[in-house]
Structures are given as C-alpha cells and as structure tokens.
Amino acid sequence: MTGILLLLATSVLLAWPLGLYLARVMRGAPMRIDPLFHWIEKPLYRLLGVDPAHGMSWRGYVGAFVLSNVVIALLTMAVFMTQAWLPLNPDGIANLRWDTALHTMVSFLTNTNQQHYSGQAQLSYLSQMTGITGLQVVTPMMGLALAVATLRALFAPPRQDVVAEGDRRIDVGNYHADVLRLCVRFMLPLCLLWTVLLASQGVPSTFAAGPQATPMDATAGMQEQKIPLGPVAAMVAAKQLGANGGGWYGPNSAFPLENPTALSNALELVGILLIPIAIIFMIGAFTGRRRFGWLVLGCMASMSVVSIAATVWLEGHSPTAASALLMEGKEVRLGSDATALWAAVTTQVSNGSVNGMLDSMSPMASAVALVNMLVSAIWGGIGCGLQQFIVYLLLGVFLAGLMTGRTPELLGRKLETPQVRLLALLVLLQPITLLTLTAITLAVPGLSGTSNPGFHGISQVFYEYASAYANNGSGFEGLGDNTPWWNLTCSLVLLLGRFPLLVVPLVIAAQLAAKRRAPESPGTLQIETPTFALTLLSVIVILTVLQFLPVLVLGPVADHLSLGLH
C-alpha cells in the first residue's frame, strides 16, 4: 500500500509543474526556450504553408483536424500493406492482411492501440517506428489540441468578431500551431527523457535483428528460438506517456524485455498518469479559473481513488482472489497489488497497456476496469478525457437547471435545444453502439471467437467493444479477434468513440461562446462548488449504471457468482 501511495504522489507532484508549463505552451506566451524550438517549428510551418498567428473558427479547426487524420491514415495504411518490400525489416516480416492493416491503422489513428496482431511477429521495424510509434506521439496531441480549443471557446471573453449578420466568429486557435507546439515542445522531450530512463533499465533500443538462442528444455521441440528486439524503449515511452498502450511485444508490459525491473514498472506507471493529470493542472492556469481546475481535479481524483482501492482489494485481498482458477496469466514477478494498480490506472486513463492479463483478473476487478472505461473521464485519454468530462459537466448543468426550475446556463450562457440535442447524441451513441454489436456478436455462432462459452465469454465480447469505444485498447486475451468481423466492427467502434467525442464538445462550446453572456445574479448556478461536484459525480454514476447494468450483471457479476459456487 505504501508503494501505491508513493507512486500516486510522485505522479501528482511531477504533473503539477508540467501542467503549468503546458498552459504557457498553449497560451503561446513568450518563453526563454523559444529559440531552442523555433528552428524546428518555423521550417515546418513553411512546409505546411500555415501562419501560426492566424486563428480559426471551429469549422476551420475541425476541418484541419479531419484532413490531417485522412492524410495520416492513408500513409500509415500504405506502410502496413507494403512493409515486406520496405527497409528496416531485418526479420523478413510479411505484409499485413488488409483487414488487420485497416484495424491497426484505425486503432493507432484514434489513439486507442487496440492490437489484433502480435507486434514483434507481424510488424517490421519501420512499421513499428512510423505507423505505431509515430502515431503514438502525434494522435494524443491532436486530441489535446481539440480539448484546448474547446476551453478557448468555453471561456472566451464576451466580445467576438462579427463575420456576417447573425454570426459571431469565435477564434479557437490554430490547429496546426497547437499540434506542432504540443509535439515539439511537450511530447517529444518527455518521450526522449522516458526512453533514456527505460533503456537504462534494460528495455531494448537497437536496429539489429534479434539473436538466436538455444532452448534449455529440448522437449519443447525447438532447436533454436529467435529473440525479438528492436527500438523498443522509444515505443514504450510513447505508449505510456501518450495514453496509447500498444506494446512492441504481444504480452505488452508483462513481457520482461518491455518491463524488466521494478523501477521500469514504476516509470511506466507514472508515465500513464503524468500527462492526464498535468492537463487538469493546466486548466486553471490556462483559463484563469483556478476553482474550475480544482473542481475537475477533485471529481477525477475522487473517482480514481475509489477505483484503485476497489481493484486492489478485489484482486489481491478479497476471498475470490485466492482462487487457483485465477492464477493463469498473472505476472508473479510484480505481485497482485502492482498488477491491480496497473489495471485500474490503465483503464482510468484510456491507456490500455497491461503488466498482467486482464482476462485472468477476478471477475469483479475486471468489472471495475469496465466501469472505468464506460465512464471514460477518470483522468481519461489525452484530450478525450477532458472532452468527456465537459460532456458530463454540461449534462449536470442541464439537470441542475431543470431541478431548480431555471433555464440551464453555463458561465452566463444558456443551454438551449441545439446544444441539448448534441449532448443527447453523445449520451445515446455509446450504449447503442456497444450493446447492439455485443448482442449481434454473441447471437451469431462463429463470430465471437470467445475462449469461454459461459458468463466470462459475455465479458470478453463486451470488454472488447467497450475498450474500442473508450479508446483504451486493452482486452480480455483468449478472444479470437483477428478476424474480418472483429477487425471491421472494432474499426467502426473506434471511429465512433473518437471523433464525435472530440468534435461535438467543441461545437457546443463555440455555440455557447457566440451567445450573449447574462450577468450573474443570486440565482446563477455556481458550478465551482462541492454541491455541484456531488451532482456531477451522481450524473456520471447514474448514467453508467443505468445504461450498462444488465450487461454487467450478465457478464462479470454472474461470472463472480459462478466462481463462488466452484
């Protein structure tokens, strides 16, 4: 328990100054380190043909976001489909099958890193470096840029530039400048630091082909075994810091080469939490409303503590945890508490990496992981977590307004029919997508590919879709997911879980910013209070429980009860 508290405290202490630095980067304020980065940024601006000082409306910002995703998608797909003929392929790995290539491209494009392949066996070094690690750096910063643009619109000053009669143009920033500054000044330096630290612990960092080894046990039937290596440390740094989670090796951070020591385990755990918490510290300094930043931090931290405590107890100290049936797939080097802490944190942050197989966890501990992903705002993904929290915030404002008999308003701007319709779209999209595809997959024989026909099989299928929608990427291994059905349906879920969540809150914020701000009065709803925080947490719990209680009962709860009978 002391180790858990120390890791969490370290993450918060490191995230605080990092968040303040991030706020200065996104404000574009002059900094002493500007000359260090200008020589990188200015040529890139000229190459892209953009003026970083030129602001964009929300339509221009979203258009640039979508266009950049399309370009990256096409380039990444081309690399995966032709890797056998490209350089940096010392192991002679073949091209990916089209549906696997499509799912992998969409998965990493959406900052999810859901893997239906085994990286060391099916991807060349070039594919790992460009299509995987490259996207692990860029795509989280794209999400963070959308979240920052939403904050700019939401907390915009009352004056706007009138473009046409009846229209107010809200400057939400420059997409290209935001993403470039985030990558060059924030993400890449952190990745470089973490790469060096992980390499010092023995995580491979080489372009050489893997060596051949002779197995000690001749009865295994192998004369020799190839040990896969590669520039692993850089990818592990990006996967943890960017809330990505995709591993170089199939077993992810449960594999000794990807996570060799107790210190590397601590570094990777801190890496998962560092940027999501830093973003929360950024809010107050960036918006000038520090109480709002503390509201977000308090709500997310409260949910995080409850989730971690429940997972650690259920996995390591509850009566069910002692069952021998749950030992397969556990990483005994690290112990149950370290595995449970990682499982809780990785699903709170939409990271998805693992240091022990989630499929082998106690059913109720896996239920906590499922709830973490369904909420998707306990820290959440980089950018996506804040956007999801803003959705819950707007819903809380709407319901509080109804309960008090007032027109719902946020920061003096009224929530009206167009905004509520967009919120309803986001609220309904998640259960419709997840429950429909889960039902079809379980109902049609041969589609699911589950390794367990009982209640655990329901959990396997639902977890896969919930993980895809939450842009998490973790999964219950044992599921035969590298099939056209799984690859195509998960690609659809990945897209639905990513783009509406990033874009719709920005649209709502821009619509609110274009309205006249009403002066505050004694009846104005104060959102930066403990009372509203409790209301907000209640909205989150009620939405999650009411929408998904039946499938949670049929899956992990029933699995837990059946395990108790055995």
Side-chain angles (χ1 to χ4, degrees):
M1 184 59 68
T2 303
I4 292 174
L5 294 176
L6 183 61
L7 282 171
L8 296 177
T10 300
S11 301
V12 173
L13 290 175
L14 291 176
W16 177 41
L18 189 63
L20 299 180
Y21 168 75
L22 182 58
R24 294 196 64 185
V25 169
M26 298 317 295
R27 284 201 306 265
M31 303 172 69
R32 292 182 179 179
I33 58 174
D34 284 344
L36 178 65
F37 295 111
H38 279 165
W39 71 273
I40 303 175
E41 294 172 344
K42 288 181 177 179
L44 291 174
Y45 288 137
R46 286 195 293 269
L47 180 65
L48 295 171
V50 299
D51 178 6
H54 179 69
M56 296 179 173
S57 67
W58 73 262
R59 290 182 178 85
Y61 206 95
V62 171
F65 169 64
V66 172
L67 179 60
S68 64
N69 276 271
V70 171
V71 172
I72 291 174
L74 294 175
L75 293 174
T76 303
M77 190 74 176
V79 171
F80 290 157
M81 295 292 288
T82 61
Q83 65 178 2
W85 311 314
L86 297 175
L88 293 177
N89 187 13
D91 297 323
I93 294 174
N95 298 328
L96 283 182
R97 199 176 68 225
W98 73 269
D99 58 300
T100 306
L102 175 65
H103 173 267
T104 305
M105 178 274 291
V106 174
S107 179
F108 284 82
L109 184 71
T110 56
N111 190 211
T112 307
N113 293 205
Q114 188 178 54
Q115 294 173 287
H116 289 176
Y117 68 94
S118 191
Q120 78 278 11
Q122 291 177 269
L123 289 182
S124 68
Y125 289 1
L126 182 66
S127 292
Q128 294 268 35
M129 292 168 61
T130 58
I132 304 301
T133 307
L135 266 63
Q136 286 179 330
V137 172
V138 175
T139 57
M141 297 302 99
M142 289 177 170
L144 181 52
L146 268 290
V148 169
T150 303
L151 290 177
R152 289 191 184 112
L154 200 60
F155 295 95
R159 293 181 59 188
Q160 293 91 21
D161 298 325
V162 178
V163 175
E165 186 175 355
D167 181 33
R168 290 185 175 86
R169 180 184 181 278
I170 308 301
D171 184 353
V172 297
N174 186 292
Y175 170 77
H176 305 286
D178 286 346
V179 174
L180 193 57
R181 289 174 67 86
L182 283 169
C183 289
V184 172
R185 296 172 179 248
F186 182 69
M187 186 65 177
L188 285 173
L190 274 177
C191 286
L192 178 60
L193 173 61
W194 244 251
T195 298
V196 172
L197 292 174
L198 290 171
S200 73
Q201 294 303 299
V203 180
S205 186
T206 178
F207 286 113
Q212 301 285 347
T214 302
M216 296 180 63
D217 185 3
T219 62
M222 291 189 300
Q223 297 299 321
E224 61 180 13
Q225 181 181 6
K226 188 176 184 63
I227 307 299
L229 298 179
V232 182
M235 180 185 177
V236 176
K239 85 167 187 181
Q240 300 301 77
L241 290 167
N244 295 290
W248 185 284
Y249 301 100
N252 209 273
S253 288
F255 193 69
L257 287 179
E258 197 161 317
N259 185 14
T261 67
L263 181 55
S264 71
N265 190 72
L267 285 169
E268 293 184 33
L269 266 170
V270 171
I272 294 174
L273 287 167
L274 184 61
I275 294 181
I277 298 178
I279 292 171
I280 309 308
F281 282 112
M282 175 203 75
I283 294 173
F286 181 75
T287 63
R289 299 184 68 103
R290 298 191 181 275
R291 291 185 62 189
F292 179 72
W294 287 113
L295 168 78
V296 180
L297 179 64
C299 289
M300 290 187 174
S302 299
M303 293 187 287
S304 177
V305 168
V306 171
S307 168
I308 291 172
T311 307
V312 171
W313 184 80
L314 288 166
E315 182 58 25
H317 306 281
S318 66
T320 311
S323 173
L325 298 173
L326 299 175
M327 282 307 297
E328 183 273 332
K330 297 295 177 66
E331 176 50 85
V332 295
R333 290 184 304 135
L334 304 171
S336 62
D337 285 357
T339 302
L341 173 63
W342 191 301
V345 168
T346 198
T347 49
Q348 290 175 14
V349 174
S350 296
N351 178 277
S353 66
V354 295
N355 69 351
M357 295 301 101
L358 294 171
D359 187 63
S360 302
M361 294 180 65
S362 65
M364 293 309 294
S366 64
V368 176
L370 264 171
V371 171
N372 291 344
M373 293 189 299
L374 295 173
V375 171
S376 199
I378 310 176
W379 310 124
I382 294 179
C384 289
L386 181 56
Q387 296 292 76
Q388 182 66 64
F389 187 88
I390 290 173
V391 170
Y392 288 131
L393 174 73
L394 293 169
L395 287 171
V397 168
F398 175 70
L399 294 176
L402 294 180
M403 289 188 292
T404 56
R406 293 176 56 87
T407 302
E409 63 178 46
L410 177 65
L411 305 175
R413 299 183 174 102
K414 296 185 183 300
L415 275 173
E416 297 176 307
T417 302
Q419 293 78 50
V420 175
R421 284 176 177 165
L422 290 172
L423 288 174
L425 170 66
L426 287 181
V427 171
L428 294 174
L429 185 60
Q430 184 189 37
I432 289 173
T433 302
L434 299 185
L435 298 179
T436 299
L437 287 174
T438 299
I440 294 172
T441 304
L442 290 170
V444 179
L447 288 184
S448 64
T450 57
S451 58
N452 189 317
F455 301 117
H456 192 74
I458 298 175
S459 297
Q460 282 184 311
V461 171
F462 182 65
Y463 193 102
E464 188 75 4
Y465 285 127
S467 174
Y469 194 92
N471 292 159
N472 185 275
S474 61
F476 277 10
E477 299 312 318
L479 185 70
D481 49 24
N482 191 15
T483 64
W485 170 258
W486 275 114
N487 286 331
L488 293 177
T489 56
C490 282
S491 295
L492 174 64
V493 176
L494 288 163
L495 293 171
L496 292 176
R498 170 76 166 179
F499 291 98
L501 180 60
L502 285 175
V503 171
V504 171
L506 174 57
V507 176
I508 294 175
Q511 290 177 348
L512 291 176
K515 298 181 180 183
R516 295 187 181 277
R517 178 178 290 177
E520 289 194 9
S521 67
T524 300
L525 176 65
Q526 300 296 323
I527 62 171
E528 297 153 342
T529 63
T531 302
F532 183 77
L534 289 174
T535 303
L536 189 54
L537 292 173
S538 301
V539 168
I540 294 172
V541 172
I542 291 171
L543 276 177
T544 305
V545 172
L546 289 183
Q547 290 182 123
F548 298 104
L549 183 59
V551 71
L552 292 173
V553 170
L554 289 173
V557 173
D559 194 15
H560 169 78
L561 295 175
S562 64
L563 187 64
L565 292 176
H566 287 297

